[in-house]
Amino acid sequence: MLGWVEASLSVLERGTLAALREHVADNGGSLPPFRLPALARRIVGELARFLAAGSDGEATGLGEELAAQGLGLRSWLAVGRALARDFAAGAGERAGSDDAAAVLARQQLFVTHVVEGLVRRELTAVSRQRDEMHAALERVIDAREGELRQVIQQLSTPVMPVHRKILVLPLIGGVDDERARRITERLLAETGRRQARIVIIDVTGLTGYDAGVLAAIGGAMRAVQLLGARAVLAGIGPELAGALVELDVELAGFV
């Protein structure tokens, strides 16, 4: 190492510490002020090693390490300015004895590579935070969609009490296997919870009279009767009546 640089290490350390303290608010909470003196010594020591025979990758790795400890980019830029100032002062005093320009260029290269490491670490942290936010947003959306699906299911299979121990289930639209399952589950749950004695299934708004739909209705009515309630089928129009006859649906025992 050049003699004047080695003699200036204490000056560089004081300047670095002053810059760190001036910009302490730009650091993360994991870097408290009482750790700044040790950090200043570490920075100047790594700088001296870089000037002697250090590699670019080591300086970049130092930047990532400093960022992990909580050093902010603005704080490091202030350190870089302090180092450049103190180096320039030392080089000016001894310009005739050593290759001061080469040392200044290498010092600036050190600062640049540390900046690269700091930025790389911060970008990694930002990417991780972005991924965490996306994951959290997806969880919220999934939960909200689940709530909406539950509301839609409840609206699509409304079991309404119309009198003491009398329930009505109006069926509107088409009925597929999944909806038929939900209808039966909800109907049985409400029948048991309300101790209903009469359950009216209103098919006025039902569409799509195929064998599966009619079998589902018959199954729901038989399940209700197993709970001790009377199942009543209401709202049968001409088309549905014809479908019941054509498909030979068993409705014996139903009102």
Side-chain angles (χ1 to χ4, degrees):
M1 183 188 299
L2 297 178
W4 69 267
V5 174
E6 188 172 2
S8 302
L9 292 181
S10 59
V11 176
L12 296 174
E13 185 177 322
R14 287 196 298 270
T16 299
L17 179 58
L20 289 173
R21 285 174 171 168
E22 183 180 356
H23 291 268
V24 65
D26 296 323
N27 299 325
S30 59
L31 185 58
F34 71 84
R35 292 179 53 194
L36 296 182
L39 186 62
R41 288 192 297 272
R42 172 74 188 286
I43 291 172
V44 174
E46 292 296 330
L47 172 59
R49 187 176 297 109
F50 181 82
L51 293 176
S55 65
D56 297 346
E58 290 175 344
T60 303
L62 174 64
E64 294 183 4
E65 181 182 342
L66 294 177
Q69 294 178 11
L71 184 69
L73 181 58
R74 293 184 62 183
S75 184
W76 174 254
L77 293 177
V79 170
R81 290 191 296 268
L83 290 174
R85 178 196 65 221
D86 295 339
F87 260 95
E93 294 176 2
R94 300 166 178 84
S97 59
D98 295 316
D99 189 357
V103 175
L104 287 173
R106 189 124 176 98
Q107 175 267 327
Q108 292 174 0
L109 186 62
F110 172 80
V111 172
T112 301
H113 285 306
V114 173
V115 167
E116 180 182 349
L118 285 165
V119 171
R120 181 183 300 175
R121 175 78 182 198
E122 290 190 2
L123 288 177
T124 301
V126 169
S127 298
R128 183 175 62 252
Q129 292 174 358
R130 179 199 60 197
D131 294 341
E132 292 175 353
M133 291 177 62
H134 284 174
L137 181 59
E138 289 178 357
R139 289 193 295 269
V140 171
I141 292 175
D142 291 342
R144 185 58 177 166
E145 287 180 350
E147 294 175 358
L148 291 175
R149 282 195 296 269
Q150 184 176 3
V151 172
I152 291 173
Q153 291 173 4
Q154 292 176 351
L155 293 176
S156 64
T157 55
V159 179
M160 301 177 295
V162 294
H163 200 273
R164 184 173 178 272
K165 296 190 176 184
I166 299 178
L167 302 178
V168 172
L169 169 64
L171 295 180
I172 301 174
V175 177
D176 55 15
D177 293 340
E178 176 62 22
R179 189 183 180 196
R181 181 186 63 79
R182 293 199 306 268
I183 288 172
T184 303
E185 290 179 354
R186 183 163 173 76
L187 190 60
L188 293 178
E190 289 298 312
T191 300
R193 186 172 70 88
R194 297 180 182 275
Q195 298 182 344
R197 307 310 302 166
I198 298 176
V199 177
I200 303 171
I201 300 179
D202 186 356
V203 295
T204 303
L206 189 65
T207 60
Y209 312 127
D210 59 19
V213 171
L214 300 179
I217 294 174
M221 296 179 70
R222 283 190 291 273
V224 165
Q225 289 183 326
L226 290 176
L227 293 180
R230 172 179 293 183
V232 178
L233 189 61
I236 300 177
E239 293 183 4
L240 179 56
L244 291 171
V245 173
E246 181 179 352
L247 297 173
D248 194 21
V249 177
E250 179 59 46
L251 295 176
F254 296 148
V255 178

